[in-house]
Amino acid sequence: MAALREPSLGPVFGMKGGATGGGHAQVQPMEEINLHFTGDFAAIEKAHNLLAALIDNAIQAKNPHVHIDPRTVRWKRVMDMNDRALRQIVVGMGGKTNGFLRETGFDITAASEVMAILCFASSISDLKKRLGNIYIGNDFEGNPLFARDIKAEGAMATLLKEAIQPNLVQTLEGNPVLLHGGPFANIAQGTNTVLATKMAMSMADYVVTEAGFAFDLGGEKFLDLKCRYAGLSPSAIVLVSTVRALKYHGGKPLKELTAEDIPAMEKGFTNLQRHAENALKFGISPIIAINRFPSDTAAELSALQGWCQKAGIKAAVAEVWAQGGLGATELATLVADAADARHPQKHKLLYADGDRMVDKISSIATQIYRARAVNYTSKALQDLKLIEKLGLGHLPICIAKTQYSFTDNAKIIGTATDFEITIREIEIAAGAGFVIPIAGEIMRMPGLPNTPAAEGIDIDDQGQITGLF
Amino acid sequence: MAALREPSLGPVFGMKGGATGGGHAQVQPMEEINLHFTGDFAAIEKAHNLLAALIDNAIQAKNPHVHIDPRTVRWKRVMDMNDRALRQIVVGMGGKTNGFLRETGFDITAASEVMAILCFASSISDLKKRLGNIYIGNDFEGNPLFARDIKAEGAMATLLKEAIQPNLVQTLEGNPVLLHGGPFANIAQGTNTVLATKMAMSMADYVVTEAGFAFDLGGEKFLDLKCRYAGLSPSAIVLVSTVRALKYHGGKPLKELTAEDIPAMEKGFTNLQRHAENALKFGISPIIAINRFPSDTAAELSALQGWCQKAGIKAAVAEVWAQGGLGATELATLVADAADARHPQKHKLLYADGDRMVDKISSIATQIYRARAVNYTSKALQDLKLIEKLGLGHLPICIAKTQYSFTDNAKIIGTATDFEITIREIEIAAGAGFVIPIAGEIMRMPGLPNTPAAEGIDIDDQGQITGLF
Amino acid sequence: MAALREPSLGPVFGMKGGATGGGHAQVQPMEEINLHFTGDFAAIEKAHNLLAALIDNAIQAKNPHVHIDPRTVRWKRVMDMNDRALRQIVVGMGGKTNGFLRETGFDITAASEVMAILCFASSISDLKKRLGNIYIGNDFEGNPLFARDIKAEGAMATLLKEAIQPNLVQTLEGNPVLLHGGPFANIAQGTNTVLATKMAMSMADYVVTEAGFAFDLGGEKFLDLKCRYAGLSPSAIVLVSTVRALKYHGGKPLKELTAEDIPAMEKGFTNLQRHAENALKFGISPIIAINRFPSDTAAELSALQGWCQKAGIKAAVAEVWAQGGLGATELATLVADAADARHPQKHKLLYADGDRMVDKISSIATQIYRARAVNYTSKALQDLKLIEKLGLGHLPICIAKTQYSFTDNAKIIGTATDFEITIREIEIAAGAGFVIPIAGEIMRMPGLPNTPAAEGIDIDDQGQITGLF
Amino acid sequence: MAALREPSLGPVFGMKGGATGGGHAQVQPMEEINLHFTGDFAAIEKAHNLLAALIDNAIQAKNPHVHIDPRTVRWKRVMDMNDRALRQIVVGMGGKTNGFLRETGFDITAASEVMAILCFASSISDLKKRLGNIYIGNDFEGNPLFARDIKAEGAMATLLKEAIQPNLVQTLEGNPVLLHGGPFANIAQGTNTVLATKMAMSMADYVVTEAGFAFDLGGEKFLDLKCRYAGLSPSAIVLVSTVRALKYHGGKPLKELTAEDIPAMEKGFTNLQRHAENALKFGISPIIAINRFPSDTAAELSALQGWCQKAGIKAAVAEVWAQGGLGATELATLVADAADARHPQKHKLLYADGDRMVDKISSIATQIYRARAVNYTSKALQDLKLIEKLGLGHLPICIAKTQYSFTDNAKIIGTATDFEITIREIEIAAGAGFVIPIAGEIMRMPGLPNTPAAEGIDIDDQGQITGLF
C-alpha cells in the first residue's frame, strides 16, 4: 500500500505535469486528483487565510484582545497558484476604513504552515493545539503573539474537519493508495501526513511512501522531521534514479539526454553515490531503483548496475511505467528483504533537538549538502535571535533549497564541494514545530513560465479535458 | 422544489449566521453547506485567480501574445473571506523578478465575474465563450484586451468542470432543493444559476427561487438580468415581510423590536408598500408572506393583514420556522393560484437593451429606488466612456448598493424620496454580460466585525462543531 | 512700486516659461530669479518637510508626546518640481526600522501650507503661531493633533528666518519690485506676502500687485482671503486682457490666434465681460488693460475698445513689452485716477466668516464661476464633517480649480452656465487659515509634459544659460 | 587656509550638533552656515530630483527617446533631512495619470551622486559630462541608460551654476576658510570639492583640509578617491585624537568618559595606533593632534604623548577650542615641517584601477579595516555582475560603513580582528566615478532620534535663534 502526497494545483498551470504518475503506474482518477480533488488544499488555504484576516482585523479593531504591532506580523497569506506578483505586496491601502498598511505576501498553499500542521497532527485536538501555537508577531511591548491569542484555532480547525481525513484512491492496477497532505520538498517538509502513513501501516504489510525531490531534501526531511515527530522508523530506503539524470549531472545538455553517453553517466554517478552515502548517515543502506526510460540503452543500464555493485549498493531496474507492478518485481524483492531482515537497520537522526540552531543548520549543510560553510544575511541573523527569544531554539530544521543542486544555486549540478550555503531568512513554523531557513534564491511562491501550460488546457462540451497531464 | 443560492464562507466568520435557514425550514446538511460544501466557491475562486496570474505573467513575459499596459488592468483577485486589508493592495514588489508593480485588490468570491458567468452559462461552451469575453485591460496602443487574448478560458473552464453541476440537497422535511451559484444581491446579481433553475423547472410542477435581499436589489436583478438572459418569466412574486422589519423601518430602535408597537409598524408599512408597487412595475402583483416571529403579537399580525387588504395586496402569515411546510399552507395556496391562473401575469423588463447606459441606470434609480437624480464621480464618468468605447453600451445593469436602504446610505430607513444616488465607479463584467455601477460606500470585499464570529467557532475531537449557525 | 510673487522652479523644467515678464517690462536678474533666487522656496520646502519627518518620527518613537494614528495623517511632503510620480506614494516600507507604512504624497512647494502661512504672517511670532496651528491628524482616541503638539513650530520658523524677508529687485527701467512668496492661483491663494505688500505701501505712493491667473481665481482669492486677513482694500482693479485670449474664448483654435478674427473676439468678449461683472460684485469697477501683442491688428484693438466702451468699462491699450513704462501711460492715468478718487470705491467681501461652509463654497461657485450647483464626493463630505468637528467651520475658502475655464473642466472655454462644480476633496490649512476645496481633476502636484523644457536648457563653460525664458 | 565641507541640514534637527566647530575655532556666521548657507545643498537636491522627475516622465511619455524598463531604475531621490520613512517608498500610485508604480526611495542629499560629482568636477563642461554619465537603469532590451540619454545634464548643470562656486567664510580669528561640498564620510566620499581645494592651494602657502570621520573612512577615501582623480598628493596627514575617544575605545562607558582612566586609555590607544599604521600604508607618517578637552587630566595627556613617542609617532596637544590658533602652535610647527621637508613623503594609492572589483574591496576591508574576509549578499553579487556588464569594473571604491567601528557593526569598538565585512548592495555612481559597496546595516538616509533636536530649536521676534549649536 502506498501513502503519498496530494498534488498542488499551482504547478498544473505552469510547466510541470500533473502528479499522478504515468503509464501503468498511474493513480486514478487522474483529472480529479490533479484539479480540486477532495478540496483539502482549498480548506488548508481557507484556514490559513482566515488567520490572516483575523490578524488584520485585530490590528484594526477598537478594543482588541491584544495590540498587535503591524510592523512585526510575519503571517502571510497563501494561494494554490503560481503567482509571482503576490510574493511581495502591500495590503490595507485606501484609507482608514481599510486598516493599517502592511508589507506582506502570499506563499503557495503547499508551503503553508497549516499544511505542515495537518501533516503532523495526530488528532483534532492536536491539530487545534498546533494551530493555536502559530506565531503571528509581537505586541507593542515586544511580547510574542500566537494564533490562540486571537482565538483563531477553533475556527481554523473547523475548516479542516474534512481535510484531516485521508483520501483513498487506487492505481490502474487496483492497488490502494492514500493521498493526503501535499507539502513540496524544496520549500516545505515534502511528505504526506502522519495520519495517513499510520493508517496505511495499520492496514497493510508493507507501506511505501514518497519523500519528494532528491534525498538531500525530501529524504533528509522525512527522516529528521516526520520520523522525529511521529516516532516512525523506515525499514528500507529506495533512491530512485534514471539514466537521464546521471547524464544530466555528468554535464550533458538537457536536449541530448536521450543519446547514449556512458562517460557522462559515469561522471554523473558521483551525484547518486553521494545521495547513497547520505542515506547511510541515517543508519540505513539504500536500494537504488533504476527507473527505466524508453531511451535507455542496454549498455547504459548495465554500466549503471555495474557501478552500483562496485560501490556496494543494491540496485534493480524498475519498469513500472511500461509494465505496472510486474516491472518492479526485483526491486520489490530487494525492498521486502530489507524490511523483513531479522535485525532491521535502525534509523538515527542527524542532529539532536538540543543542538544549537546554527549547528543543526550546519549539520545538514555540511554533512548532507557538503557545503564548506553556512552564511547568514543580517535578516537571517535577526531571525535567529528572534527564534532564541521566542524560546524555539529546540525546534528541528526544514531548509528551503533548490531541488536542482546540492548547493543553493540551481545551476550547479553534479557534486559540488567548494561552495557555501547562504541563509537568506528564517521563517518560523512554531505550530508545525520547525523553523525554515531559506537558502539562496528559492521562492516559497513560484511563478508561471513564459508560456504557461494553462494556455494549452481545454475542456469540451462533453466535459473532456485536454492538455492536463 | 426550490432552486437557491449556495452560501459564501466569507460571512460565516463575520457576524452573519449561516445560510441554510432555521427551524423546520432548514436545509441539510447544515455544516457542510455552510463550510466548503461541494467546492464550487473554491473552484470559482481558483478560475478567477488563474486569470489574474496569467495577466501578471503576460505583463512580465518576454514575448507575450499581447502587450498589456499594467496601468490599465481592471481584473482583480478574489477570496471567499471577509478581509478588508485586501481591498486595495500593491502587487509585484520585490524587484524585477517579481514583475511590474500594480495597484489592485481582492473582491469577495461571491462578487467574482466568474461567479456571475457560471450563473448565466447554459453549457460548457457557453461558459468558455463568456470567460473568454472577460475584459482585462488595454494594450499600450489602447486596444481592449480580453481573457481570450491570453488564452485563459480553456483552463478556467476546466477548473469549473464540477462547479457547473447543480447540487441537490433537501430540507428537514425531505423537500428537494438545488443549491447552485452564490452571488450576493447587494454587490452582484443575487440569484442562483440559470442551469439549476431550468433543471428544477424540468423536474417539478412548482419551482420556488430566491432573489436575495429586498426587492429593489435581488428582485430587480432577477427580473432585469436573469429573466432577460434566460428567457424566464415568473408566475408569481412573493415579498417576505416581518413585523420586526416594519417596526424597524418605522423608526423603532433595533433593541426594542420585540415590543408591540403598531404605530411604528404602520409607519414602516410604507416601505413594504413601495416594494409592492415596484413589483407591479414589472407587471406582476406580488403576494406578501408574513414571516412570523415568536415575539409578534396577534394585534400586530392582524393590523398588518388589515393594511395589506386595504392596499389591495394579497397576504398570508407563514410559520415555516415553527411548523415547516404545514405553516405555509395559506401562502402556498395564494402562490399556486397565481401560478395556475388562466391568464397569467406577463413579466416585463424595466428598460430596453438599446437605452442609453445613463438612462438605464436612471430607470432603476428613480423608478425603483425613487432617487431624485443620479450623480457620477469623475471615475464613474471615465468608466462610462470606457464602456462606450468598448462597445458595451448595450449591456444591462447590475447596481451594487447597500441592502439596508432604498438609498445608497445604509442609515436611511423607511421610504426616503428626497435623495440622490452617487455612482462611485462602474465595473465591467463583459463576460457575464452586464456592468456594475457601484453606489455610495458599498464595498465588494466586506470586512470582519470588531468581534468576529470566528472567535466562537470550535470543533471537538469527535468532529462536533459549535458556534456555526 | 510693485509687490509680486516669486516664481517656482517646478514649471521652469516643464512647459511654462519663466516668470519674470518679457521685453522692456522684465524684472532682473532673470536667471537668478527663475532658478533658486534667494532660496525662499527651498526654505519653505525644508520647513514643510521637517514637519513631515517629525510626524513620522513621532509615530515611530517609543514614548512620544502624542500617539498619532498613522491612518489619519493628512500632512504630505512638498517638492518644487513637476513630478507626478510623487502625487501618491507609500512611505515607511522596508521593515520595522523604517516605521509604519502610510499612504501619502507630495504637493508642489507653491501649494505648501507653509507657503500660505508665510504669505499671511505679520511677524515671526505670528508665523510660529500659524505653523503651530497646522493640523496634522488625529490620535487613536480621535483627538485632533497640531504641529505644536509635536513641538515643530520653533524649528520650522527658524528655517524661515531669511525667507520671511521680502526680496527687492528691479525692472529693466529701474523700477523697484518686491518679490516675495509664490503660491499659484489655481491650487493656492495666488498672491504675494502681506509683509511685502505692506512694506511696499509704506514706501511708495502707488503699489501694484498681481493676483495670478484670471479674476475668478487670483482676483477672488486676493479679495476674499488676503484682504480679509490683512485688512487691505484695493483702490482699483485692473483686468489684463489680450486680443489673442478673446479669440481663444471665442472658439478659435490655438494655432490660428495670430490671424485677425473680429467675430471670434466678439464671441470671446463675453468671457472678459463676466470677469468685469465679477469684479463689480466686490464693489469695485475694473479697468481693462489690453496687453498688446505684435499680431494684434488695429481693427481688433479698436473693436475691443469699442465693446468696452459700450459695456461701460474703462479700458486702455498697454504696450509695456515693446515700450516699457511709456507704453502704459494711458492705463496708468486711469488707474491713478481711480486710486486718487475723492470717494474711493469700497471693497466688500463675497461671504461672511459666519456663513456655513457649503454656503461659502456655493457663493464662489455660483456667483463667480456661475455654476448651477456644487457637488461633493463622499470624500469631500467626510472632509466637511471633519472641518466642523475640528471647529474650523468659520474659515474662509481657497478653491483649487483649473485656470483654463470658469468650470472645473479645462476644456470648457468662454462663458459656460449650464454646469456643476464637483468638489473632490477638501484640504485643511488650519495654520494658514483657510480650507482648500479641490474642484474637478486639478492636481496640487503638476507633471512634466511629453517633451519637458528641461531637455532644451543648457549652460556653457562661461556660465551662459540657454533655453531658460 | 582651510578648505572644508559644508554642513548638511539633515542632522541639525536630529541629535548631532552643527558643523562649524566650537570655541575660538569656530567658523562664522554659524547660524547661516548651519541652516541654508548659500543654497548649495538645495541646488544639488534640485538637480538630483530633476533627473528623477525626468526619468519617471520618460517612462510615462508617449514617444520617449528611450524606453526605460521601470523595474530596472536605480536612481533614487534625495532630501536633506533625516527622514527614515522615505528610505523605501512606492511612487506612481493613483491611476494611469500618475505613471507606473515603482519601488524606490530617498537618500540624504549628502549622499547624492550629484554631490559627489560636484566635488570632483573641474569645470562646468566636466560637470555636465559627469552628470550625463549617471547610470539610471536599462531599457527593455537590457541596454544601459544614462542621464544623457534623456538629455538631463544641461538642465541639471544649470541648476548648479552657483553651487559650483566655492564659498569663502572665516574663523572667529579671521582666518579664511573655503566651505564647499558636503558629502558624509560614512556614506559618501567625505571631503570637500576639488575646485575649492585647488583654489585654496593657489592662494595660500599651506592648505588644511578635512576628511570626515576616522581615517578608515574619510582618510582612505580622500587618498584613494579624491587624490586619485584630482592628482593631489598631501604633504602631511594629521590624525585628530582625544583622550575621551581613547577611553571609549578602551571600553569605558560613554557617561564616565570625563573621569581619569589611564588603563582604559592605554587599551584604547591600539585603535589610534591602527589608524596611524593605516596612514603609513599610503606612504605618509601621520602626526597626532591631541584635541584637548577641559576634562583631560595632565596625567592622561602625558601618558598619551608617551605612548605616541614610544610608537614613533609625532604628536602635539592642540587647544584651539580654548585658545584659537595660538593653541596649535606646536602642532602647526610639526605639520609645516613635514610639508616643507626637502624630500617630501610620496603618497601612494592602496589599489590600482585595473584590480578586480572584489580585490579592490578586499584591499580596503582587509588592509584598512582588518577584516578577515568580505561577504557579499546575493543582491551585492548581482550588482557586481551589473557593474562588469556596464564596463565599470575599473572604477575605484567608496565603501559606506559605520563610523563607529572598524567593522560594519557600530557596537564593536577598539581594534577587532576576527570579523568579516558583509557587502549588502553596491550602488553605482558612474558619473562621479566610483561604486559604493554598502557594508552592514548603514543607511544612506538617516532617521531622527527618539527626541529630535528640532523640538528644542526656536527663534524669537528679533530673529534670535536658540537650540542650534
Side-chain angles (χ1 to χ4, degrees), chain B residues 122-382:
Chain B
S122 55
S123 66
I124 293 180
S125 55
D126 182 49
L127 178 73
K128 279 200 292 183
K129 190 179 159 197
R130 287 171 180 272
L131 292 170
N133 284 341
I134 290 171
Y135 170 65
I136 58 179
N138 297 337
D139 67 15
F140 282 99
E141 278 70 46
N143 303 307
L145 296 172
F146 300 89
R148 59 180 178 262
D149 293 319
I150 55 170
K151 303 183 186 169
E153 71 272 30
M156 291 173 76
T158 299
L159 282 166
L160 297 172
K161 181 181 184 241
E162 302 298 328
I164 204 175
Q165 313 289 348
N167 310 292
L168 179 64
V169 293
Q170 58 186 326
T171 66
L172 276 179
E173 290 177 321
N175 290 318
V177 177
L178 287 175
L179 292 184
H180 199 216
F184 297 162
N186 50 355
I187 56 177
Q189 80 268 39
T191 178
N192 70 327
T193 66
V194 168
L195 276 178
T197 297
K198 291 200 167 168
M199 179 184 280
M201 287 169 71
S202 75
M203 298 190 295
D205 292 333
Y206 299 97
V207 175
V208 175
T209 191
E210 177 231 6
F213 291 125
F215 186 83
D216 57 324
L217 290 169
E220 188 275 325
K221 289 168 181 177
F222 179 85
L223 294 162
D224 270 332
L225 289 174
K226 184 171 180 174
C227 292
R228 184 185 302 254
Y229 272 119
L232 295 168
S233 188
S235 307
I237 290 177
V238 178
L239 298 177
V240 181
S241 181
T242 64
V243 164
R244 287 169 54 88
L246 296 193
K247 284 188 271 194
Y248 172 75
H249 278 292
K252 206 166 175 67
L254 262 180
K255 292 186 174 174
E256 301 172 18
L257 292 185
T258 50
E260 183 178 295
D261 190 342
I262 291 174
M265 278 181 70
E266 183 161 19
K267 212 167 146 215
F269 182 68
T270 55
N271 181 283
L272 178 56
Q273 223 173 344
R274 184 184 281 186
H275 284 299
E277 288 165 22
N278 284 345
L280 266 174
K281 292 188 181 171
F282 289 91
I284 299 178
S285 310
I287 297 156
I288 307 283
I290 302 170
N291 185 19
R292 182 167 190 171
F293 271 63
S295 62
D296 299 350
T297 68
E300 288 176 324
L301 289 169
S302 160
L304 175 49
Q305 286 178 296
W307 296 322
C308 287
Q309 198 172 2
K310 205 167 141 195
I313 315 171
K314 293 203 173 88
V317 173
E319 302 188 73
V320 291
W321 190 88
Q323 303 178 26
L326 206 65
T329 318
E330 188 191 345
L331 175 65
T333 307
L334 287 178
V335 174
D337 285 353
D340 298 340
R342 181 164 299 188
H343 302 293
Q345 303 176 86
K346 188 71 196 154
H347 148 253
K348 60 187 180 199
L349 300 168
L350 194 69
Y351 54 84
D353 289 357
D355 292 352
R356 287 171 58 224
M357 192 58 79
V358 289
D359 291 337
K360 296 182 210 178
I361 297 170
S362 196
S363 295
I364 301 169
T366 59
Q367 295 186 48
I368 304 299
Y369 308 158
R370 316 289 177 99
R372 198 192 319 115
V374 181
N375 298 319
Y376 293 86
T377 66
S378 67
K379 172 79 175 67
L381 291 174
Q382 284 169 21

Side-chain angles (χ1 to χ4, degrees), chain B residues 59-60 69-72 90-96 99-103 138-140, chain D residues 59-60 69-72 90-96 99-103 138-140:
Chain B
I59 292 173
Q60 176 80 340
D69 180 345
R71 296 166 301 178
T72 66
V90 171
V91 299
M93 302 202 321
K96 194 178 168 185
F100 283 77
L101 278 74
R102 288 201 302 109
E103 284 180 278
N138 297 337
D139 67 15
F140 282 99
Chain D
I59 292 173
Q60 175 79 341
D69 180 344
R71 297 166 302 177
T72 67
V90 171
V91 299
M93 301 199 326
K96 196 180 168 185
F100 283 78
L101 276 74
R102 288 201 302 108
E103 283 180 279
N138 297 338
D139 66 15
F140 282 98

Side-chain angles (χ1 to χ4, degrees), chain C residues 137-395:
Chain C
N138 297 337
D139 67 15
F140 282 99
E141 279 69 47
N143 303 308
L145 297 173
F146 300 90
R148 60 179 178 264
D149 293 319
I150 54 170
K151 303 183 186 169
E153 71 274 28
M156 291 173 77
T158 299
L159 282 165
L160 298 171
K161 182 184 182 241
E162 302 298 328
I164 203 175
Q165 312 289 348
N167 310 293
L168 179 64
V169 293
Q170 56 186 329
T171 66
L172 277 179
E173 289 177 322
N175 290 318
V177 176
L178 287 174
L179 292 184
H180 199 216
F184 298 162
N186 50 354
I187 55 178
Q189 80 269 39
T191 177
N192 70 326
T193 67
V194 168
L195 276 177
T197 297
K198 291 200 168 168
M199 179 184 282
M201 287 169 72
S202 75
M203 298 191 294
D205 292 333
Y206 299 97
V207 175
V208 176
T209 191
E210 177 232 3
F213 292 126
F215 186 85
D216 57 324
L217 290 168
E220 188 275 325
K221 289 167 181 176
F222 179 85
L223 294 161
D224 270 333
L225 289 174
K226 184 171 180 175
C227 291
R228 182 184 303 253
Y229 272 118
L232 295 168
S233 188
S235 307
I237 289 176
V238 177
L239 298 177
V240 181
S241 179
T242 64
V243 165
R244 288 169 54 89
L246 295 195
K247 283 188 272 195
Y248 173 75
H249 278 292
K252 206 165 174 68
L254 263 179
K255 291 186 175 175
E256 301 171 19
L257 292 185
T258 49
E260 184 179 293
D261 189 343
I262 292 175
M265 279 182 69
E266 185 161 17
K267 213 166 147 211
F269 182 70
T270 56
N271 181 282
L272 178 56
Q273 222 172 346
R274 184 183 281 183
H275 285 298
E277 288 166 22
N278 283 346
L280 267 173
K281 292 185 180 171
F282 290 90
I284 299 179
S285 311
I287 297 157
I288 308 283
I290 304 170
N291 184 18
R292 182 168 190 172
F293 272 64
S295 61
D296 299 351
T297 67
E300 288 175 326
L301 292 170
S302 162
L304 174 50
Q305 286 178 296
W307 295 324
C308 288
Q309 198 172 359
K310 205 168 142 195
I313 316 171
K314 292 206 175 86
V317 174
E319 301 187 72
V320 291
W321 191 89
Q323 303 178 27
L326 206 67
T329 318
E330 188 191 345
L331 176 65
T333 307
L334 288 177
V335 175
D337 286 352
D340 297 340
R342 182 165 296 188
H343 301 293
Q345 303 177 85
K346 190 68 196 156
H347 148 251
K348 59 187 183 199
L349 299 168
L350 193 68
Y351 54 82
D353 289 356
D355 292 352
R356 288 170 58 223
M357 193 58 80
V358 289
D359 292 338
K360 295 183 213 180
I361 296 170
S362 197
S363 295
I364 301 169
T366 59
Q367 295 185 47
I368 304 299
Y369 308 158
R370 316 292 176 96
R372 198 191 320 115
V374 182
N375 298 320
Y376 293 86
T377 66
S378 65
K379 171 78 175 69
L381 291 173
Q382 284 170 20
D383 291 339
L384 277 175
K385 271 187 203 162
L386 175 60
I387 290 164
E388 288 305 322
K389 202 180 143 199
L390 293 171
L392 300 175
H394 63 284
L395 291 181

Side-chain angles (χ1 to χ4, degrees), chain B residues 10-18 82 404 447-454 469:
Chain B
V12 166
F13 304 109
M15 60 180 152
K16 192 168 155 284
N82 287 13
Y404 296 112
L448 290 170
N450 214 41
T451 304
F469 307 101

Side-chain angles (χ1 to χ4, degrees), chain A residues 307-431:
Chain A
W307 296 323
C308 288
Q309 199 171 1
K310 204 168 141 195
I313 315 170
K314 292 203 175 87
V317 173
E319 303 187 73
V320 291
W321 190 88
Q323 303 178 27
L326 205 64
T329 317
E330 187 190 347
L331 176 64
T333 307
L334 287 178
V335 175
D337 285 352
D340 298 340
R342 182 164 297 188
H343 302 294
Q345 304 176 85
K346 188 70 194 155
H347 149 252
K348 60 186 180 199
L349 299 169
L350 193 69
Y351 54 84
D353 290 356
D355 292 351
R356 287 170 59 225
M357 192 58 77
V358 289
D359 292 336
K360 296 183 210 177
I361 296 171
S362 198
S363 296
I364 301 169
T366 59
Q367 296 186 48
I368 304 300
Y369 308 158
R370 316 290 176 98
R372 197 192 321 116
V374 181
N375 297 320
Y376 293 86
T377 66
S378 67
K379 172 78 176 67
L381 292 173
Q382 285 171 20
D383 292 339
L384 277 175
K385 272 189 203 159
L386 177 60
I387 289 163
E388 287 306 322
K389 204 181 141 197
L390 293 172
L392 301 174
H394 62 284
L395 292 181
I397 306 296
C398 179
I399 293 180
K401 183 183 72 70
T402 176
Q403 67 272 29
Y404 297 112
S405 174
F406 276 109
T407 77
D408 60 8
N409 179 342
K411 288 176 189 153
I412 299 178
I413 54 172
T415 48
T417 48
D418 188 27
F419 69 95
E420 302 186 345
I421 287 278
T422 297
I423 303 301
R424 197 174 82 219
E425 57 183 315
I426 307 179
E427 294 203 6
I428 299 170

Side-chain angles (χ1 to χ4, degrees), chain A residues 106-303:
Chain A
F106 280 73
D107 287 334
I108 194 164
T109 304
S112 164
E113 184 176 351
V114 177
M115 172 66 84
I117 286 173
L118 187 87
C119 286
F120 284 168
S122 56
S123 66
I124 292 180
S125 55
D126 183 48
L127 178 74
K128 278 200 293 183
K129 191 179 160 198
R130 289 172 179 271
L131 292 170
N133 284 342
I134 291 171
Y135 170 64
I136 57 178
N138 297 338
D139 67 15
F140 282 98
E141 280 69 47
N143 303 308
L145 296 172
F146 300 90
R148 59 181 178 263
D149 294 318
I150 54 170
K151 303 183 185 169
E153 71 274 29
M156 289 173 77
T158 300
L159 282 165
L160 298 172
K161 181 181 185 242
E162 303 297 329
I164 203 175
Q165 313 288 349
N167 310 292
L168 178 65
V169 293
Q170 57 186 327
T171 66
L172 276 179
E173 290 176 321
N175 290 319
V177 177
L178 286 175
L179 293 184
H180 199 215
F184 297 163
N186 50 354
I187 56 177
Q189 81 268 38
T191 177
N192 70 327
T193 66
V194 168
L195 276 178
T197 297
K198 293 201 166 167
M199 180 183 281
M201 287 170 71
S202 74
M203 298 190 296
D205 292 333
Y206 299 97
V207 174
V208 175
T209 191
E210 176 232 7
F213 292 125
F215 186 83
D216 58 324
L217 291 168
E220 187 275 325
K221 289 168 181 178
F222 179 85
L223 294 162
D224 270 333
L225 290 173
K226 184 171 180 174
C227 292
R228 184 184 302 253
Y229 273 119
L232 295 169
S233 187
S235 309
I237 290 177
V238 178
L239 298 177
V240 181
S241 179
T242 64
V243 165
R244 287 169 54 88
L246 296 194
K247 285 188 272 192
Y248 173 74
H249 277 293
K252 208 166 173 66
L254 262 179
K255 291 185 174 175
E256 301 171 18
L257 292 184
T258 50
E260 182 178 297
D261 189 344
I262 291 173
M265 277 181 71
E266 185 160 19
K267 212 167 147 214
F269 183 69
T270 56
N271 181 282
L272 178 55
Q273 222 172 345
R274 183 183 283 184
H275 284 299
E277 288 166 23
N278 283 346
L280 267 174
K281 293 188 179 170
F282 290 90
I284 299 178
S285 310
I287 297 156
I288 308 280
I290 303 170
N291 185 18
R292 181 166 191 173
F293 271 64
S295 61
D296 299 352
T297 67
E300 287 174 327
L301 290 169
S302 162

